[in-house]
Amino acid sequence: MKGFYIAAAYFRKSKFQVIIVALMITLAAFVMGLALGLATDYTDNFNRTHERLNAEHITIDFADIGNSGKDALTEKIEADDRITEYGISDVLIGNGSCPFGENGLLISSFLPMRFSDAEKLAVGRYEITGEGDEGDGFIPYIFSFYYKIGDEFTVSLDSGEFSFRIKGFYNNLTTGTVNCKTVVLLLNDETFDRFEAAGLRRGYHIGLQLASPGEAERLEPDMITELSDAAPGLVFAQSTNYVKLSKSRYISEKVFVGILFAAAFVVLTVLLSVIAFSLSNYVKENMHNFGVLKALGYESRNLMSPIIVAMLSLSLAAASVGCGLSYLLLPTINTILEEQSGIPYTIRFLLLPDAVTVGSIALLVFLTALLSMIKIRGIQPITAIKPMRKEARGILSLPLQRTKLELNFALGLKAIFSDIKKYLVFLLTACLITIMLCVAIFCSDNILQHSERIFRCIFGNTSDLMVRMNTADEDAATGWLKEQEEVELMFLMTQGSVCHMEGGKIDAACRDEEGFAQCGYLLLTGSFPSSETELSLNYVYAEKHGLKIGDSMTLNSNGKEETYTVSGLFQDASFGGRNLFLTREGYERLTELYSLSYMVNLKEGEDLEAFIDKIKSELPSVGVINYREYMNGMSSNYIRMLNAMIVVIIIISVLISVLVLSIIVNMILFNKRREHGILKSLGFVTSQIVFQTAVSFLPMALLGSVIGLLISRDGVCALFSYFVRDIGIASFGESVQTVSLVLCGLGFTLFTFAVTCILSAKVRKTVPHDLFNNE
């Protein structure tokens, strides 16, 4: 019971500080709980969905060669003991594009499939997520963010343009995404027959489940080769695997969670600093009372434990509230992340992440309180009868009689030296907050305002158009394009898939000399290939398989093998770090090129849509894609995610700054109420005292900003690079610009001054009469 009174006395005397600490604990739990929930359960949603839909570990699309070919495939699959279950669906195969995102475009392989066939599948089931009464077909759930049931869906394929009304949306792990280049369209029989009658080639969509799912990436090329050998004449179209899908579907989530964990670290660091300072200050100001209690027979543990237990209880309660509040923001974040992953996620209570969040915060608060209260052991009963001594001012001082500074400014600076510990806490806060703000500025500079920087890493180039043609039409088409005055630049960039027997399927792109010149920013070390026997390799793939410049690498395509020398390493997120570059001659050593893609840049000011119409009119045999729209479509959800992340960072920064300033300013005003009364009796007005208080924070705000900005100059870029390194980006954008750094530091300093002025305004209630009170 006596312990209760000691704890109650602490809460009564420090109620404002306790409220601020409780709010900061709530904020820390809010951010940390959100990050842990997304990092664990959200990612596990892929595995749960995979199990629920009995999804494939490898999918392969082949062109049809008749019933005999299908029978041969089935026989080969059933004889392979590495395959535990499989499914074969009859589809149509067509390459093309469709509107996607906000004024964007999706380039993909589209596989029309009969809905009636999809309903019969046991492997790779299609889960309907929304359905209307009328319509012609279902499209992936990821499209539901841009289309509604009943809308017209138009897809431009090699054999023409097709439209149908959307009946609903489906969820499927392998064909319901847009970043693995295969999109199935589930159509009714009438619409399917219309697609087939227009000339789309028939094919098979094969789903394989393996005894060892982790081997999917390595076994994928084996499966393609063996199935091709089983049915001679079978033409491979596209494939993907479990490992690639699990990575590609959560790119945004990984970046977002990383930033949330960084923000949680900042909030926790500031929180623990504030708790340590607040409790130490309480012990210092109540040493006389603690001495009296020890003289009455209380032991140190009797004085420490009630307050420590009270702080522990406060942390458990506030952290639980913070975790609960995080569920209010989760629906908004879930919408943003679902837009990238394309996998529906059901929000639910997460006991383990919440328990870890509450437990870890409570433990940190307990340890901090214990270490802060430990000095009570040094207090002796004699302290009760000793007069209280003023704390030494230290070697730092500001003699007012010799200063040339304006008096109010000088009084403000002098206040720093009277209690340096309070200001050091704010110095740490200013440093960490500035780093967080620099993260937001980095996102804005490198992605939102100058999107071409991230586009170059994700898409490999920032061209205006992609022109696709058969090799038979190449000379005529390229000759015509070079003659057009609107064209500024044109280069070859054709992509395909080959097999590296030590690492599985890998995407290969062949470029011409001009094409390599345009992607020089991707090169990390070495050089791009200059002969038919060289290749350059994505650094992620090179690190994973122990390859370096000068090593040999054997590639296989349709049973033919060739050996190449690694000439350089580059970064590129187009294929999650699994890609390489070859010269055209090097690519043709492996396989014959039947179709080509050329990237075209127009001169500044040229009408892009008008030029596209011109190509369609003059070159009816080629396909043309607005590559700008493709980049906009594929990046629109990333942009929204980063906008949301910037808003979260700014809100957290503002809240931390205001809370820390509130607790420090309140303590300063309380400790200096008599001094302020003296100043008012000498003729100082409220505005002058407010100015003095606000000025006292400026040096720490400015110094903390400078330290934070120096760390952020290159540190923020390194932080982002760490988050996206596994997907193929080693250097994420450019360092934060000096102008942005300066504006950030000045902005935070001015914000500190403004907030401190507002918080100090209550000094108006202090009057000289307070000098004669014992308050």
Side-chain angles (χ1 to χ4, degrees):
M1 193 64 179
K2 295 178 180 179
F4 171 79
Y5 289 119
I6 293 175
Y10 166 70
F11 281 127
R12 185 178 65 255
K13 290 183 178 181
S14 307
K15 55 180 176 295
F16 187 79
Q17 291 95 310
V18 170
I19 292 173
I20 297 300
V21 167
L23 290 174
M24 293 187 69
I25 292 173
T26 302
L27 179 60
F30 178 89
V31 179
M32 186 175 175
L34 198 58
L36 277 176
L38 291 174
T40 54
D41 192 70
Y42 202 86
T43 303
D44 286 345
N45 185 49
F46 179 89
N47 297 324
R48 291 197 300 269
T49 304
H50 192 280
E51 182 177 351
R52 186 176 72 251
L53 300 182
N54 200 30
E56 313 92 331
H57 296 126
I58 296 176
T59 61
I60 309 173
D61 302 318
F62 283 112
D64 184 20
I65 58 170
N67 291 330
S68 60
K70 187 174 183 179
D71 292 340
L73 288 176
T74 303
E75 184 178 343
K76 182 66 176 179
I77 292 171
E78 291 179 345
D80 195 326
D81 57 8
R82 295 173 298 180
I83 301 171
T84 58
E85 197 172 359
Y86 73 95
I88 299 180
S89 306
D90 293 325
V91 297
L92 303 177
I93 298 177
N95 295 317
S97 62
C98 70
F100 180 75
E102 294 181 357
N103 302 316
L105 198 68
L106 167 66
I107 302 173
S108 183
S109 292
F110 291 88
L111 308 179
M113 179 191 300
R114 294 183 190 273
F115 179 71
S116 56
D117 291 342
E119 288 183 303
K120 302 173 185 175
L121 289 174
V123 175
R125 291 194 294 266
Y126 289 81
E127 178 183 61
I128 302 303
T129 61
E131 183 176 4
D133 296 331
E134 298 181 358
D136 305 313
F138 294 84
I139 59 178
Y141 173 75
I142 199 168
F143 284 86
S144 66
F145 297 95
Y146 310 105
Y147 292 89
K148 299 188 299 295
I149 293 175
D151 285 351
E152 195 80 4
F153 183 79
T154 301
V155 55
S156 299
L157 302 177
D158 297 334
S159 55
E161 189 171 275
F162 303 87
S163 297
F164 61 89
R165 266 203 311 159
I166 299 172
K167 182 176 178 61
F169 304 96
Y170 72 79
N171 175 33
N172 180 278
L173 284 187
T174 57
T175 66
T177 180
V178 298
N179 50 8
C180 287
K181 299 188 179 300
T182 303
V183 174
V184 163
L185 306 175
L186 299 181
L187 307 175
N188 58 27
D189 291 347
E190 181 183 347
T191 307
F192 183 89
D193 293 339
R194 178 160 54 88
F195 273 63
E196 185 176 17
L200 286 181
R201 57 180 175 169
R202 276 185 167 274
Y204 309 121
H205 179 69
I206 303 172
L208 307 175
Q209 284 192 341
L210 305 179
S212 302
E215 294 289 299
E217 196 169 51
R218 187 181 64 82
L219 294 179
E220 182 182 350
D222 287 349
M223 297 296 177
I224 295 171
T225 301
E226 290 185 14
L227 294 180
S228 297
D229 293 341
L234 203 64
V235 179
F236 164 72
Q238 188 62 256
S239 70
T240 191
N241 64 74
Y242 169 85
V243 178
K244 180 180 179 181
L245 280 169
S246 62
K247 290 181 180 179
S248 65
R249 286 219 163 182
Y250 291 103
I251 296 172
S252 296
E253 185 260 354
K254 182 177 180 181
V255 176
F256 195 85
V257 167
I259 297 302
L260 283 178
F261 273 123
F265 171 78
V266 170
V267 178
L268 280 172
T269 302
V270 174
L271 166 66
L272 298 179
S273 301
V274 168
I275 291 175
F277 164 72
S278 179
L279 290 177
S280 297
N281 187 72
Y282 179 77
V283 172
K284 182 187 72 174
E285 291 185 348
N286 292 275
M287 290 181 66
H288 180 79
N289 294 335
F290 286 129
V292 170
L293 291 173
K294 281 199 170 184
L296 293 174
Y298 283 82
E299 297 183 3
S300 296
R301 67 173 182 273
N302 303 131
L303 302 176
M304 294 169 54
S305 57
I307 298 177
I308 293 174
V309 170
M311 290 300 297
L312 179 61
S313 302
L314 177 68
S315 64
L316 289 170
S320 298
V321 171
C323 286
L325 291 176
S326 68
Y327 287 93
L328 299 179
L329 184 61
L330 193 54
T332 300
I333 294 177
N334 182 44
T335 299
I336 295 172
L337 296 181
E338 276 188 348
E339 190 178 346
Q340 191 269 322
S341 69
I343 302 176
Y345 174 77
T346 301
I347 297 173
R348 57 182 186 162
F349 175 68
L350 305 175
L351 178 60
L352 183 59
D354 289 346
V356 170
T357 298
V358 174
S360 58
I361 291 177
L363 178 62
L364 290 172
V365 170
F366 171 78
L367 294 175
T368 303
L370 179 63
L371 294 174
S372 302
M373 299 290 292
I374 203 77
K375 62 176 66 175
I376 288 180
R377 292 182 176 181
I379 299 176
Q380 301 299 322
I382 196 173
T383 307
I385 58 175
K386 280 187 176 181
M388 296 294 291
R389 294 183 303 172
K390 286 188 176 181
E391 193 174 291
R393 298 294 178 95
I395 61 173
L396 297 174
S397 64
L398 183 65
L400 295 178
Q401 64 272 24
R402 294 198 300 270
T403 183
K404 295 182 180 180
L405 298 174
E406 193 271 331
L407 182 58
N408 285 299
F409 197 80
L411 284 170
L413 296 181
K414 188 176 179 65
I416 299 175
F417 309 126
S418 64
D419 198 344
I420 191 68
K421 292 181 180 178
K422 292 184 178 71
Y423 294 94
L424 289 178
V425 171
F426 183 69
L427 173 68
L428 173 64
T429 303
C431 177
L432 294 175
I433 292 299
T434 303
I435 294 174
M436 287 184 61
L437 292 174
C438 283
V439 171
I441 292 174
F442 179 87
C443 292
S444 178
D445 276 356
N446 285 282
I447 301 173
L448 302 183
Q449 295 183 33
H450 301 96
S451 56
E452 69 277 1
R453 294 174 183 170
I454 185 61
F455 283 178
R456 291 182 305 185
C457 292
I458 294 178
F459 302 106
N461 65 84
T462 54
S463 299
D464 296 318
L465 299 171
M466 174 187 284
V467 181
R468 301 165 68 169
M469 63 196 73
N470 295 323
T471 50
D473 300 323
E474 180 183 10
D475 291 339
T478 56
W480 183 87
L481 287 168
K482 290 177 181 178
E483 292 174 356
Q484 305 310 301
E485 60 180 14
E486 298 96 331
V487 175
E488 180 179 55
L489 175 69
M490 182 177 71
F491 59 90
L492 174 69
M493 193 196 75
T494 295
Q495 295 177 169
S497 296
V498 297
C499 295
H500 175 220
M501 301 315 293
E502 286 79 15
K505 193 187 74 170
I506 184 169
D507 291 278
C510 67
R511 297 192 179 214
D512 54 21
E513 186 175 345
E514 185 63 44
F516 286 127
Q518 295 305 309
C519 64
Y521 50 84
L522 295 177
L523 190 66
L524 298 176
T525 182
S527 63
F528 286 121
S530 57
S531 70
E532 64 178 23
T533 59
E534 292 182 337
L535 62 80
S536 54
L537 190 59
N538 193 300
Y539 78 95
V540 174
Y541 193 87
E543 289 180 354
K544 182 176 180 179
H545 297 282
L547 296 167
K548 57 184 183 298
I549 294 176
D551 286 351
S552 296
M553 188 171 174
T554 300
L555 303 179
N556 174 288
S557 179
N558 296 322
K560 185 177 182 181
E561 289 188 2
E562 295 290 347
T563 301
Y564 300 82
T565 301
V566 179
S567 64
L569 303 178
F570 62 89
Q571 66 169 356
D572 181 8
S574 301
F575 300 94
R578 294 184 62 86
N579 60 323
L580 56 84
F581 288 148
L582 295 165
T583 62
R584 179 170 181 171
E585 296 75 17
Y587 195 94
E588 289 177 327
R589 288 178 67 201
L590 270 177
T591 184
E592 184 177 354
L593 284 169
Y594 296 99
S595 62
L596 301 168
S597 296
Y598 276 86
M599 309 307 298
V600 178
N601 287 349
L602 302 185
K603 294 177 182 177
E604 188 174 353
E606 294 293 341
D607 189 328
L608 184 57
E609 290 299 331
F611 190 69
I612 291 175
D613 292 337
K614 185 177 180 180
I615 294 176
K616 290 179 178 179
S617 173
E618 297 294 330
L619 300 173
S621 62
V622 308
V624 57
I625 292 174
N626 188 326
Y627 204 71
R628 286 286 174 184
E629 287 188 352
Y630 167 66
M631 291 188 292
N632 290 337
M634 296 300 290
S635 63
S636 58
N637 61 320
Y638 294 98
I639 299 301
R640 268 190 292 280
M641 182 203 72
L642 289 169
N643 276 320
M645 188 161 49
I646 290 173
V647 171
V648 170
I649 289 173
I650 292 174
I651 291 175
I652 291 175
S653 300
V654 170
L655 287 175
I656 295 175
S657 302
V658 171
L659 290 175
V660 173
L661 283 171
S662 295
I663 195 171
I664 295 177
V665 170
N666 184 72
M667 294 178 71
I668 289 174
L669 296 182
F670 179 80
N671 293 337
K672 292 191 172 185
R673 61 193 185 282
R674 293 185 179 277
E675 182 179 325
H676 291 156
I678 293 173
L679 289 175
K680 283 196 172 184
S681 68
L682 293 175
F684 285 84
V685 296
T686 297
S687 60
Q688 291 175 311
I689 299 175
V690 168
F691 177 79
Q692 293 168 19
T693 305
V695 163
S696 68
F697 284 88
L698 289 182
M700 293 304 174
L702 197 56
L703 180 59
S705 296
V706 169
I707 296 173
L709 295 175
L710 290 175
I711 295 173
S712 302
R713 171 71 184 174
D714 297 307
V716 171
C717 186
L719 177 67
F720 265 86
S721 297
Y722 172 77
F723 292 142
V724 296
R725 181 173 179 81
D726 290 343
I727 64 171
I729 303 179
S731 178
F732 192 89
E734 300 178 3
S735 299
V736 183
Q737 300 298 309
T738 303
V739 174
S740 299
L741 290 173
V742 172
L743 291 176
C744 177
L746 290 177
F748 179 75
T749 303
L750 293 175
F751 172 79
T752 298
F753 183 80
V755 172
T756 309
C757 286
I758 295 172
L759 295 173
S760 304
K762 65 178 181 179
V763 77
R764 68 181 181 276
K765 297 180 181 179
T766 302
V767 294
H769 180 264
D770 291 338
L771 293 170
F772 305 103
N773 292 336
N774 292 323
E775 298 177 1

